[in-house]
Amino acid sequence: FPTDRTLPPSDLAREVEARGFESLFLPEHSHIPASRLTPWPGAQPGNEDLPDYYWHINDQIVSLSMAAAVTTDLRLGTAVTLVPQHDPIWLAKQLATLDHLSGGRVVVGVGFAWNREQCEAHGLDFSRRREITRDNVGIMRALWTHDEASYTGTDRSLAASWAFPKPAQPGGPPILLGGGWGPKLLHHLCDWADGWMPISARPSLRSRLDLVYAAAREAGRDPDTISVTVMGAVENAAGLDSLGAEGVDRAVLTIWSEDRDQILRELDRFAHIRDELHGG
């Protein structure tokens, strides 16, 4: 969580790339309503309070732009962007510009949003957030891929429009849908996403991957067209090796500390795990 109390994203990105990692993924929240009516999905017995770094977090796109400016090859990931809370035209412009200026390094993790009162503050009908996400992604892809773009959806549409720059990546940045494995998520995943982004510290996702691939085949889609990025992944070589053998494409490890020295120690520990995994 890149908060206002820890090292700047430019410093973090330099340290991540210097250790040879493929990517840096940053989360986002615009704000947290003080009412705290919506329970925290990450709550556990005895740990129900939402950590305050949720409302001390830096802006995601600004932070990734700073990271892009000081790195060369590092992939710039969002985990996740709360797409239904955004104006899709502005978001498409920001992500296209970041991808264009970084030479095609953006990966967009998409979330449906979980905080009802946060959604309401953005004028979002919480009950329609999945459908609005689908339409917002459709609008962004249209703007990324057509000189004169238009889109007609059930909740959001776009009249014929011009918007540049276009992303450096053909078709735009890959879209990874964050979430579990319920029927609603699987429907949207197979319908419009490039990949799946679950949160799991398990050394195996075989049973859940089977559900994803079965849903893809039922929807008439080749399962091989769905990439898998695991967030909060297991932090040992054996577990990561198991995930790779099952077809997981990317494992993202999480740093919770805001202390600079501890962050650097965690990066060194992750590098050691990676080297052990690859026999280095």
Side-chain angles (χ1 to χ4, degrees):
F1 275 73
T3 72
D4 58 355
R5 301 179 299 212
T6 189
L7 73 170
S10 51
D11 291 355
L12 175 63
R14 286 192 188 97
E15 297 290 351
V16 170
E17 186 167 72
R19 288 163 176 79
F21 290 108
E22 182 247 14
S23 51
L24 172 65
F25 281 79
L26 300 181
E28 79 160 356
H29 278 283
S30 57
H31 70 300
I32 297 295
S35 64
R36 292 298 305 115
L37 297 175
T38 303
W40 176 34
Q44 298 177 355
N47 185 28
E48 291 85 6
D49 290 339
L50 186 72
D52 73 349
Y53 46 70
Y54 273 82
W55 57 89
H56 277 271
I57 196 168
N58 293 323
D59 179 80
Q60 184 181 72
I61 302 299
V62 172
S63 297
L64 288 174
S65 298
M66 293 181 67
V70 298
T71 56
T72 303
D73 300 311
L74 190 70
R75 299 283 281 176
L76 309 162
T78 73
V80 290
T81 301
L82 300 173
V83 167
Q85 297 180 359
H86 285 269
D87 178 318
I89 302 171
W90 273 123
L91 184 60
K93 169 75 79 172
Q94 290 174 305
L95 291 170
T97 301
L98 181 58
D99 197 67
H100 173 73
L101 295 177
S102 68
R105 292 192 275 146
V106 177
V107 180
V108 182
V110 170
F112 290 134
W114 59 267
N115 189 301
R116 180 182 294 271
E117 56 269 29
Q118 184 184 86
C119 289
E120 291 171 351
H122 287 281
L124 173 65
D125 180 350
F126 188 76
S127 68
R128 298 292 298 170
R129 66 193 186 283
R130 295 180 181 87
E131 292 76 16
I132 291 170
T133 299
R134 176 201 59 214
D135 284 347
N136 281 1
V137 169
I139 289 170
M140 291 195 298
R141 280 200 169 122
L143 289 166
W144 291 342
T145 56
H146 294 89
D147 286 350
E148 185 170 293
S150 61
Y151 176 85
T152 301
T154 57
D155 287 76
R156 302 278 174 87
S157 296
L158 175 72
S161 302
W162 304 313
F164 289 82
K166 301 301 183 188
Q169 297 178 82
I175 299 289
L176 312 181
L177 181 57
W181 53 95
K184 290 182 180 179
L185 183 131
L186 291 177
H187 169 75
H188 285 280
L189 171 64
C190 297
D191 184 33
W192 52 260
D194 298 306
W196 181 41
M197 181 184 274
I199 299 174
S200 175
R202 298 167 180 255
S204 173
L205 284 177
R206 172 52 56 200
S207 61
R208 298 174 187 180
L209 288 169
D210 287 345
L211 291 174
V212 170
Y213 298 149
R217 287 189 290 268
E218 185 176 346
R221 178 169 174 179
D222 181 355
D224 290 340
T225 64
I226 298 177
S227 69
V228 181
T229 293
V230 177
M231 305 302 298
V234 59
E235 296 180 4
N236 61 70
L240 293 170
D241 186 56
S242 172
L243 292 175
E246 292 178 353
V248 171
D249 299 284
R250 178 188 290 114
V252 181
L253 309 184
T254 305
I255 295 177
W256 298 105
S257 176
E258 294 176 286
D259 178 77
R260 181 187 184 94
D261 292 340
Q262 180 60 30
I263 289 170
L264 299 183
R265 286 193 293 269
E266 285 289 274
L267 289 175
D268 289 338
R269 182 171 70 88
F270 292 165
H272 178 76
I273 295 170
R274 180 206 55 213
D275 293 344
E276 182 182 356
L277 173 65
H278 294 296

